[in-house]
Amino acid sequence: EAQEFTITAGSSTNITGALGTVIKFYPNSFKDKNGNIVNSGNIKVYLTEVLDPQHMVANRVQTVTESSRLLSSGGAINIIATLNGDTLATNGYGIEFNKRNNIELKWRE
């Protein structure tokens, strides 16, 4: 099930999912349907964390190659952002996954 957060557009904000995924949004992280940076208003962010086989099965997520061979996966996330009911596009954000096996994964879109 997606977790819901409300953030203020135009500011730097971190959200932390229940499984430890940290998403860092920047002042210019969202665009509207016309490609304009959204810098005001309350944005609803819906985060789904799929970080282990149990969550992958529950969310029907699979990792396969073109030859239908199964891949190993460290997980995935899904982010949907809306403003006044309109879906927004992302314009860059940072991700820090939960530490597992003493490895910290960081990525920035």
Side-chain angles (χ1 to χ4, degrees):
E1 191 170 308
Q3 302 161 65
E4 182 180 323
F5 301 87
T6 301
I7 64 172
T8 302
S11 64
S12 292
T13 305
N14 289 352
I15 62 172
T16 303
L19 298 178
T21 305
V22 178
I23 312 293
K24 179 167 181 72
F25 295 107
Y26 308 106
N28 62 344
S29 282
F30 300 101
K31 291 183 179 181
D32 64 17
K33 63 184 174 185
N34 298 316
N36 301 312
I37 299 294
V38 177
N39 56 20
S40 65
N42 291 324
I43 296 174
K44 294 280 187 189
V45 176
Y46 302 91
L47 171 65
T48 303
E49 297 171 288
V50 184
L51 303 181
D52 57 32
Q54 175 185 350
H55 290 102
M56 292 180 84
V57 170
N59 286 282
R60 296 185 177 146
V61 173
Q62 54 183 318
T63 54
V64 295
T65 65
E66 289 181 15
S67 62
S68 299
R69 292 180 32 212
L70 290 176
L71 296 172
S72 176
S73 174
I77 62 164
N78 184 47
I79 299 171
I80 298 172
T82 64
L83 177 64
N84 300 324
D86 294 326
T87 301
L88 301 175
T90 60
N91 190 44
Y93 54 87
I95 301 175
E96 182 176 327
F97 290 97
N98 189 17
K99 292 181 182 181
R100 287 181 273 155
N101 300 324
N102 295 320
I103 298 173
E104 184 174 345
L105 303 172
K106 291 186 178 182
W107 180 75
R108 180 182 167 163
E109 179 186 69

